[in-house]
Amino acid sequence: MRGRLLAIAGLVAVVASAWLTSGATARPSATPPLTIYAAASLTEVFKALDGAQHFSFAGSNALETQIRNGAPVDVFASAAPLNTQRLFKAGIVDKPVTFTANRLALIVPKSNPAGIRSIYDLRSKPVKLVVAAPAVPAGGYTLSVLRKMGLSSVLSKVVSRESDVKAVTGKVALGQADAGFVYVTDARPVSDQVSVIRIPAWAQPRVRYEIAVVTKSPNKTAAQAWVRMILSAKGQTALKHAGFLPLPKASS
Amino acid sequence: MPPGELVSALQSDVAKDALVVTFETNLIALALILVLGTPTAYWAATRQSRFRDLVVTLIELPLVLPPAVAGIGLLAAFGRLGLLGGTLDTLGIDVAFNKVAVVLAVTFVASPFYVRTAVSAFEALDPTLPAAARTLGAGPGGVFFRVALPLAAGGLGAGAALAFARGLGEFGATIMFAGSLQGVTQTLSLAIYEQFDLDFDVALAISAVLVATSAATLLSVKLVTRWRSTSSSPIPSVASSPLSS
């Protein structure tokens, strides 16, 4: 009995010390991974571009609040200039730069239970519509599209306001909702589950993504290098392949 | 935050709507839990069926499951493309993004808190009392309603209060299964989550309401158990269930 207990204690000690030392030796003197907070719509492209960093993807508004409350973050990439600019004015991030753009689309499940063929069908047919909450960039852009198309009345058919655009995508891909407004880039990874209904160019909002280094980042050089990588040909090509639009020339 | 501001933050439409949605859905869920859970608990406590352990395990499962798993499970079962989705659809029952979805989520996560406590309350009954009632001519229904139920009432009340406290704070399964829409599916917890990066004061005020309600509920459990232990003989022990959320 006593011998067995000792053996178990020894085993626990060996496992624990192996675990403790593995943490110390796994990255010998290499640069620690950056903590990057990014808009949910950047999930697939950022992970594919650089799997070595620590990412947190969510609605840009939620990330802004977390950074404002002192989250230890090196880089913030937002789906709307509003969130980065507010942090810049508060002195929390360095000057943000525009790094890509996007378009909005309406997605419906492949089975299309509500029979939506155009945006205007939202007005005439009974439909469970899901959107992002108004404070989430995608939600704000959705409101602007509906306003431009004179369709603000379809907001009465909204059954859920989600906390980020990926939650909207998921609810439609699962078939729980009949339709949802997301970025065209969100539809691509789930293209086997959803159909995309285009929004005319004249109604498209100006979806501009900004990226900024957090002023208090302890890894500022690495963070700045990472932002440069996103702006470089490598980063821009990856974004283009994911369906993002090239950097708008006039702005930024 | 001074109490005055707290009260005025609670006057916001978001907070008022969330209060109504939460209490409406939770009272319906509690009624469901009582109606379905009490006979189940009585059965589990009095019958020596070989399915007993299996049934009790299934009932207890939501206690230890992460809310995210509960959300996925509800979607897989009751979602429009889920196992029962087609059946519900032909029956004309719609459980997507409405109060029915919230009630289902709350019932799922809160029911084990009641059933577990109810099983031990029924088990703690003196078995000679129902037997005596039978010899005096009471049928099985009479024994249940006129002997077992009144004797176990304290334990059942405590279980109901625990289930209610758990249901009030339900978050994960609800946001995944029912979505979030003010006045329809947005419960207090979902409103806190939404207001957190919009209006922190409102989020704080709603949180304070939940703290107060939960504390009051737990306190009432203790008072009820103490009152039962001084007033009647069999003391059903309140199962010390982990109050996870």
Side-chain angles (χ1 to χ4, degrees):
Chain A
M1 190 62 203
R2 202 190 163 97
R4 192 179 292 173
L5 273 178
L6 272 175
I8 292 171
L11 191 68
V12 168
V14 168
V15 171
S17 59
W19 178 72
L20 285 171
T21 49
S22 73
T25 53
R27 299 173 189 280
S29 73
T31 48
L34 295 169
T35 302
I36 296 164
Y37 275 22
S41 47
L42 295 164
T43 306
E44 289 85 5
V45 63
F46 270 18
K47 276 190 186 160
L49 201 52
D50 187 354
Q53 315 301 340
H54 289 165
F55 290 109
S56 174
F57 297 103
S60 302
N61 56 319
L63 296 174
E64 181 202 335
T65 310
Q66 288 170 14
I67 296 173
R68 196 180 284 280
N69 284 293
V73 182
D74 299 307
V75 176
F76 176 39
S78 165
L82 175 72
N83 306 94
T84 29
Q85 292 297 336
R86 275 201 295 233
L87 290 178
F88 176 55
K89 289 204 183 81
I92 299 168
V93 303
D94 293 352
K95 189 163 176 45
V97 289
T98 304
F99 70 98
T100 197
N102 212 338
R103 278 165 301 173
L104 229 59
L106 182 70
I107 56 169
V108 297
K110 268 269 145 69
S111 58
N112 201 354
I116 306 292
R117 307 254 171 268
S118 99
I119 312 265
Y120 293 98
D121 285 345
L122 291 178
R123 197 167 42 187
S124 51
K125 297 191 173 161
V127 50
K128 288 182 188 297
L129 180 65
V130 174
V131 297
V136 180
Y141 295 135
T142 302
L143 293 181
S144 127
V145 166
L146 291 174
R147 210 167 29 238
K148 279 187 192 166
M149 298 184 79
L151 288 171
S152 294
S153 63
V154 306
L155 286 173
S156 64
K157 299 185 177 174
V158 168
V159 292
S160 184
R161 298 181 197 277
E162 301 289 331
S163 61
D164 67 56
V165 72
K166 287 296 179 198
V168 179
T169 316
K171 293 259 174 5
V172 177
L174 265 179
Q176 275 299 93
D178 296 325
F181 283 97
V182 299
Y183 301 112
V184 289
T185 52
D186 296 307
R188 285 206 181 185
V190 289
S191 58
D192 53 335
Q193 290 155 286
V194 303
S195 309
V196 176
I197 293 163
R198 287 161 167 272
I199 293 169
W202 59 264
Q204 283 287 351
R206 283 191 51 196
V207 181
R208 202 153 63 78
Y209 286 65
E210 284 195 344
I211 192 165
V213 171
V214 175
T215 309
K216 279 190 186 153
S217 160
N219 314 303
K220 217 152 174 185
T221 323
Q224 285 159 346
W226 204 84
V227 170
R228 276 198 300 278
M229 185 275 287
I230 291 297
L231 295 166
S232 74
K234 181 191 172 193
Q236 293 297 309
T237 312
L239 285 162
K240 193 178 154 210
H241 281 308
F244 287 86
L245 298 178
L247 244 164
K249 291 279 182 314
S251 60
S252 99
Chain B
M1 192 174 178
E5 276 180 41
L6 197 103
V7 170
S8 69
L10 281 178
Q11 301 291 314
S12 70
D13 285 346
V14 177
K16 280 193 276 188
D17 284 350
L19 261 174
V20 172
V21 170
T22 304
F23 280 92
E24 198 181 345
T25 53
N26 273 275
L27 289 174
I28 298 172
L30 187 64
L32 268 178
I33 293 171
L34 293 180
V35 168
L36 299 175
T38 313
T40 314
Y42 187 65
W43 173 83
T46 51
R47 297 289 144 81
Q48 291 305 318
S49 164
R50 60 195 146 131
F51 299 113
R52 183 190 178 274
D53 282 351
L54 188 71
V55 171
V56 172
T57 305
L58 279 178
I59 292 167
E60 287 179 348
L61 207 50
L63 267 185
V64 288
L65 283 182
V69 177
I72 293 286
L74 287 168
L75 277 170
F78 302 107
R80 286 166 95 189
L81 301 183
L83 283 175
L84 304 172
T87 321
L88 291 173
D89 209 35
T90 45
L91 292 173
I93 304 170
D94 187 8
V95 295
F97 304 109
N98 53 25
K99 290 204 171 76
V100 182
V102 183
V103 170
L104 273 177
V106 171
T107 308
F108 185 77
V109 299
S111 57
F113 286 81
Y114 174 72
V115 178
R116 257 178 76 103
T117 321
V119 169
S120 36
F122 284 128
E123 277 174 349
L125 294 184
D126 182 349
T128 56
L129 294 174
R134 292 301 294 271
T135 59
L136 293 173
V143 171
F144 174 69
F145 283 108
R146 301 185 56 188
V147 180
L149 215 49
L151 285 175
L156 300 184
L162 279 177
F164 188 66
R166 170 65 184 89
L168 281 183
E170 212 317 288
F171 177 78
T174 310
I175 202 162
M176 290 176 76
F177 181 55
S180 174
L181 188 67
Q182 190 186 329
V184 182
T185 55
Q186 191 174 76
T187 56
L188 289 168
S189 303
L190 302 195
I192 291 171
Y193 186 61
E194 191 200 71
Q195 291 298 310
F196 163 62
D197 49 39
L198 290 176
D199 190 340
F200 190 77
D201 287 352
V202 174
L204 196 65
I206 303 176
S207 302
V209 170
L210 270 179
V211 170
T213 324
S214 304
T217 313
L218 287 180
L219 192 65
S220 69
V221 172
K222 295 196 172 47
L223 292 178
V224 165
T225 356
R226 180 165 309 160
W227 168 70
R228 291 297 301 185
S229 64
T230 52
S231 67
S232 77
S233 45
I235 317 146
S237 61
V238 178
S240 54
S241 335
L243 268 175
S244 63
S245 62

